[in-house]
Amino acid sequence: MLDYLATSPLLTLVIILALGLALGKIRCFGISLGAAAVLFVALAFSTLNPELELPPLLYQLGLAMFVYAIGLEAGGAFFAQFKARGWKLNLFLLVLLVAMAVLSVAIVSLLGIKPTIGAGMFAGALTSTPGMAAMVNMLGSLDPAQSAQPVVGYSLAYPGAVIGSIVVAAVGAKLLKVNHREDARAEGLISDSLAWRGVRIGEGITGRIGDLQAITGQQVIASRIVRSDHEHELGMRDRELRPGMVLVLNGTPDALDKAIAVLGEPVELSLDGTNLVYSRITVSNKAIAGMSLGQLNTCSRGFLVVRARRGDADEVPNPSTVIRLSDRVRVVTTPERLPEVRRYLGDSERELADVDLLPFFIGLLAGLLLGIIPVPLPGGNTLSLGFGGGPIVAGLILGAMEKSGPLRWQVPYHANRTISTLGLSIFLAGVGTKAGVGFRQAITDPSSIAVIGGGFIVTIASAVLCAAVCMPLLKLKWDEAMGVAAGMTTNPAVISYLNGQTNTELATRGYATVYPTAMIGKIIASQVVLLLLI
């Protein structure tokens, strides 16, 4: 059977994907490998039959798709966070990355680990799949016979990297008696459900309805002006505030309490039987995707957007909120205008399923071209971002831009997640089969223990240093510091564990802030470590 699979790469790929993704769903102590399990299934197949190797084109395309999709999704948040405190965290991460590279080179030298496997150990200890791929690509031109060796070191160090990061997070939280919800509440990240309340504007309040967030200092929006029990008007942003005016405010309960205390007094209201209705509509109109609410000027079309939902998160929108395909928005309008509003926003699952892939592949092409640009190094060597680093840089930039003329860089939320997972799975299947021979030799060699131990030391040191520096110097809570550590690994299994244990967004905030820099930094650092060792 294995001999037959060696002659049928398509069948081999599908079998590896099916078995790997099934294995990745199995949870042990609350942890599952997810798509990463595909790598180990591929290694098992190729270890049993070294001739069972998938074409390199597969893993190159898979990785490029994976990281480009990540860049598109994270681009806007990355640049927004960077302007505030994100630059501090990213600077720390770069320093930490240099320290881990030096530590890895020292461990490889002290333990007598084979240089090419030791370089893979560094990538595995920080679970940098693109970094390992960059090493494979570099060795392909320098020493093709050794090009699979980094995959062996990566595979040996990878399991300990996942376990080590989780152990530090779990033990540290226990020793420090971390209260996850209170820490998240202190950082303003407890995700309260959105609500609405009535308020009567008091004396001395001046400005326009569009100024409510500036006046109150709270993330609230006025959806309606109440004329009587049954007659309401849309809360147009340009309407002047005046004493006695009754508004319907939307926001979190805490934000509403604080806003009403500033604006006047609460009013008991009922929204039933009024001349306005509200409805949740899915955005599928490609003509408006990538535009902000301020650009859309929905008031001129007779409706207001009072809530926006992307993924599982609701938010109170403002004029700068950008609307993307597959966003679900709550609108307020009159019953007779509702069908028109639905047509304008789209509200069509069929249109969302018809994804325009032209901009996706134009952006991916730009990333691949960026990745092949060589950067000269002392000694005549060069490094490049490769087919992993180039696409993520392009994705970050284009994702933050949202659109360029007729090209809309963003793809629907669900399509992005699907492309990302598919690309990663294909990459892991391809690169796993490439390492079969070396991995079979490694698991029967006692010296492999040194690779596993060395990688574990690097992983533990990275997580502990994140806590030791980020908490006292950068004033992060434990969960966010561990989120930075997870971002350093760029490993979905680690952040999945943190989110499951904390049930807050604090770890995710740290993870998302440093993830792109870590992804790109490790690609470069992996190549530098390889050059230092060989």
Side-chain angles (χ1 to χ4, degrees):
M1 179 64 179
L2 290 177
D3 290 337
Y4 175 76
L5 290 179
T7 64
S8 180
L10 178 59
L11 180 60
T12 301
L13 172 64
V14 174
I15 290 175
I16 290 174
L17 290 177
L19 291 177
L21 293 172
L23 180 63
K25 291 181 178 296
I26 299 174
R27 301 185 71 84
C28 182
F29 301 107
I31 304 168
S32 61
L33 288 175
V38 174
L39 173 65
F40 297 103
V41 171
L43 277 171
F45 270 64
S46 60
T47 298
L48 294 172
N49 184 356
E51 294 183 3
L52 200 154
E53 182 175 336
L54 297 174
L57 175 63
L58 277 176
Y59 66 76
Q60 294 171 358
L61 176 61
L63 180 63
M65 291 170 57
F66 166 60
V67 296
Y68 180 68
I70 287 176
L72 284 181
E73 182 65 26
F78 173 75
F79 287 110
Q81 285 278 347
F82 197 88
K83 295 175 183 177
R85 64 191 188 119
W87 68 271
K88 297 178 183 178
L89 284 174
N90 283 283
L91 179 60
F92 160 72
L93 183 130
L94 291 175
V95 173
L96 178 63
L97 190 55
V98 171
M100 293 304 99
V102 172
L103 176 61
S104 296
V105 171
I107 289 174
V108 170
S109 300
L110 288 173
L111 299 182
I113 299 171
K114 186 176 180 179
T116 49
I117 292 180
M121 179 203 76
F122 167 75
L126 299 179
T127 63
S128 176
T129 306
M132 177 264 289
M135 293 179 185
V136 172
N137 190 47
M138 178 177 282
L139 280 173
S141 58
L142 296 177
D143 187 358
Q146 299 291 319
S147 62
Q149 292 299 305
V151 183
V152 175
Y154 174 91
S155 303
L156 291 171
Y158 183 98
V162 177
I163 295 170
S165 298
I166 291 173
V167 165
V168 171
V171 172
K174 191 73 172 178
L175 293 177
L176 297 176
K177 299 179 179 179
V178 174
N179 188 319
H180 304 295
R181 291 196 65 80
E182 285 303 314
D183 283 353
R185 192 181 304 279
E187 292 293 312
L189 290 181
I190 289 293
S191 183
D192 292 328
S193 299
L194 297 183
W196 65 268
R197 290 183 192 163
V199 60
R200 178 174 283 108
I201 303 299
E203 297 290 339
I205 302 299
T206 59
R208 301 174 184 273
I209 287 180
D211 302 327
L212 284 175
Q213 292 186 14
I215 294 171
T216 64
Q218 302 299 319
Q219 194 74 11
V220 295
I221 185 173
S223 59
R224 308 180 185 212
I225 303 171
V226 179
R227 293 294 188 186
S228 66
D229 288 345
H230 302 290
E231 185 181 353
H232 294 181
E233 294 180 20
L234 291 178
M236 302 293 190
R237 292 181 53 83
D238 60 352
R239 290 293 297 272
E240 293 283 346
L241 296 171
R242 54 179 177 76
M245 176 184 282
V246 177
L247 303 176
V248 175
L249 298 183
N250 287 259
T252 64
D254 182 62
L256 290 172
D257 287 340
K258 293 176 179 177
I260 291 173
V262 173
L263 294 173
E265 60 182 9
V267 178
E268 292 294 331
L269 296 172
S270 172
L271 301 186
D272 296 331
T274 70
N275 61 322
L276 294 180
V277 295
Y278 59 85
S279 180
R280 180 86 75 174
I281 299 175
T282 301
V283 177
S284 63
N285 182 358
K286 297 179 176 63
I288 66 172
M291 299 176 68
S292 68
L293 289 177
Q295 291 173 314
L296 293 177
N297 189 18
T298 62
C299 292
S300 65
R301 294 182 174 271
F303 73 97
L304 286 177
V305 175
V306 296
R307 297 186 190 182
R309 185 177 182 87
R310 181 170 300 150
D312 293 331
D314 269 310
E315 67 171 288
V316 175
N318 57 57
S320 64
T321 299
V322 174
I323 297 298
R324 295 182 185 174
L325 292 174
S326 79
D327 283 357
R328 286 162 290 167
V329 296
R330 174 172 280 191
V331 303
V332 177
T333 187
T334 59
E336 58 271 15
R337 276 190 176 271
L338 186 57
E340 179 185 340
V341 174
R342 288 188 184 279
R343 287 193 297 270
Y344 178 67
L345 294 176
D347 204 29
S348 170
E349 292 295 332
R350 178 177 293 181
E351 286 186 31
L352 287 175
D354 184 20
V355 180
D356 183 4
L357 291 177
L358 176 60
F360 182 90
F361 282 102
I362 290 176
L364 184 58
L365 173 61
L368 291 171
L369 293 175
L370 179 63
I372 64 176
I373 298 174
V375 178
L377 294 174
N381 293 308
T382 63
L383 63 77
S384 63
L385 290 175
F387 50 84
I392 196 173
V393 172
L396 287 170
I397 295 171
L398 297 178
M401 291 172 60
E402 298 280 350
K403 60 183 298 186
S404 302
L407 294 176
R408 297 166 185 86
W409 303 114
Q410 289 290 351
V411 295
Y413 177 84
H414 303 93
N416 183 286
R417 290 300 182 93
T418 301
I419 291 171
S420 175
T421 302
L422 177 62
L424 176 61
S425 301
I426 291 175
F427 167 73
L428 292 174
V431 80
T433 60
K434 186 177 178 63
V437 176
F439 190 72
R440 182 166 60 180
Q441 295 172 348
I443 59 179
T444 59
D445 186 349
S447 65
S448 295
I449 297 176
V451 180
I452 296 171
F456 194 73
I457 291 171
V458 174
T459 298
I460 295 293
S462 172
V464 170
L465 281 174
C466 278
V469 175
C470 290
M471 293 181 72
L473 296 184
L474 300 178
K475 308 303 180 185
L476 301 190
K477 303 292 186 183
W478 172 261
D479 288 340
E480 189 167 11
M482 288 299 96
V484 172
M488 175 69 162
T489 69
T490 59
N491 191 301
V494 179
I495 192 62
S496 176
Y497 167 81
L498 291 172
N499 288 339
Q501 296 302 304
T502 64
N503 291 315
T504 75
E505 295 295 316
L506 197 50
T508 300
R509 186 170 75 173
Y511 180 83
T513 303
V514 301
Y515 183 100
T517 299
M519 178 75 82
I520 297 168
K522 288 190 294 185
I523 292 170
I524 297 173
S526 295
Q527 295 176 83
V528 172
V529 167
L530 178 63
L531 290 173
L532 290 174
L533 288 172
I534 61 176

